[in-house]
Amino acid sequence: MSLPLPPELVREIIHLLLSSTPPRSSTPENLGCSTKPSWLTLNALSLTSRMYRDLALEAWFHTLCIESPEDLEFVRFCWPEVGARWTGHLHCIQTFSSYPSIWDLSCFLHLSSIRLDFSPIISPSFYSHLGNSFILPFFNFSSSVKHLDLRGLSWPSPGVLQNIPHTPGLEHLKTLKMKQDTVWCGLCGGSSRVRFKNRPTGVVYDRGYGLPIDYARVLTPLEYLEEVVITAPNRGFGSTTLGHTPTPDGNPTPYPDSETNLNPNLWAGECDNCMKTKYEDDAFRQKWVDRKRGIGVCRDGDGKKDTRPPKLRRVEWRF
């Protein structure tokens, strides 16, 4: 008679099954799509014994993907361990609705990361109800969340992000990810699509550089924030690139040493129109770049000093 496998080994087998099986969705990074594989991955193993089933459920519910607070109550009723022991990553999907869902997270005692998807089919009236207190629709945190992933915000303004540091439970945030259709331009103070003439795949900054100045300022209270990743598609058909600027005749001219410095302007969300028009004034361009580097007295027109999160080390833009 063979001896049963020890629980530690079964956990490793289950982890290997989940990590090596493709997600159920063919587009797991898209809005409303889960990164989890099908339950069939673990179903046969879960039927082997009660111990195996408990271990399979524990691993399965480590990531909880859910569409409404009502569904959350149902899951908690069926499996009380979901909040108390199992779930470390919560994936909330704001589905089609005129009003935002409000998520009570008091049951999650070991939550470390949250992904929040704003569905692209949400009705326009939904956003009219998004006051400052509803941008991040969570309350009653029972643990400190270290990682936050926001996807599908239609207006990713600094006013939206300023709610993050003031949401109890997010004070110890280490990584912030945002995936959206538009980016914030610090020059015109508006949200627009990325329209590079060429097709860069992304740009990475260290030493705390790379965020729009307004973003860096409102996120400053996050004293543990180390990394920000912003993903936005490059729609193309623009007249600017990371390493070039247009001249009055419309022909792009590289700045000195552009072959070795492909991003001399430290691009941080500036829209194609602002770069095309305002960067023609080289003195203005240099002053703006120096400000992003933190050279000299850096103040906005409102007299506020430019700041950034003290531990921010890495900023990545993905296109």
Side-chain angles (χ1 to χ4, degrees), residues 125-300:
S125 60
F126 174 95
Y127 292 100
S128 67
H129 297 295
L130 283 180
N132 287 342
S133 60
F134 292 123
I135 294 299
L136 291 176
F138 306 114
F139 69 103
N140 287 341
F141 283 81
S142 295
S143 58
S144 294
V145 172
K146 303 295 193 302
H147 312 283
L148 179 63
D149 188 345
L150 300 176
R151 306 194 180 199
L153 283 174
S154 64
W155 185 253
S157 69
V160 172
L161 298 192
Q162 73 179 356
N163 293 278
I164 297 176
H166 303 296
T167 300
L170 297 180
E171 304 94 335
H172 294 86
L173 205 64
K174 289 187 175 182
T175 62
L176 172 63
K177 295 183 178 181
M178 296 185 292
K179 185 176 182 181
Q180 56 218 26
D181 196 49
T182 60
V183 297
W184 185 258
C185 174
L187 287 171
C188 63
S191 185
S192 61
R193 292 183 173 183
V194 177
R195 295 191 180 278
F196 288 124
K197 183 178 181 179
N198 58 345
R199 292 290 178 179
T201 57
V203 59
V204 178
Y205 298 93
D206 57 12
R207 295 181 292 173
Y209 299 149
L211 283 180
I213 291 174
D214 296 326
Y215 276 14
R217 182 187 294 173
V218 299
L219 294 176
T220 295
L222 293 174
E223 56 181 307
Y224 300 100
L225 186 65
E226 298 176 358
E227 180 181 28
V228 177
V229 179
I230 303 175
T231 301
N234 176 20
R235 301 297 182 180
F237 302 103
S239 56
T240 58
T241 68
L242 286 174
H244 295 69
T245 188
T247 58
D249 61 7
N251 295 317
T253 300
Y255 282 113
D257 301 323
S258 64
E259 291 184 359
T260 57
N261 183 4
L262 299 179
N263 185 22
N265 300 321
L266 298 181
W267 184 87
E270 291 86 357
C271 68
D272 183 71
N273 185 61
C274 282
M275 289 191 290
K276 180 172 62 176
T277 57
K278 297 184 179 182
Y279 280 8
E280 291 177 358
D281 183 340
D282 192 64
F284 173 86
R285 181 195 64 81
Q286 190 59 55
K287 183 178 179 180
W288 179 249
V289 174
D290 287 346
R291 182 180 175 185
K292 290 191 286 186
R293 287 197 178 103
I295 299 174
V297 179
C298 300
R299 294 182 182 274
D300 207 344

Side-chain angles (χ1 to χ4, degrees), residues 301-313:
D302 57 10
K304 295 181 180 179
K305 188 176 181 180
D306 293 339
T307 57
R308 61 170 65 102
K311 291 188 177 181
L312 184 62
R313 296 291 178 267

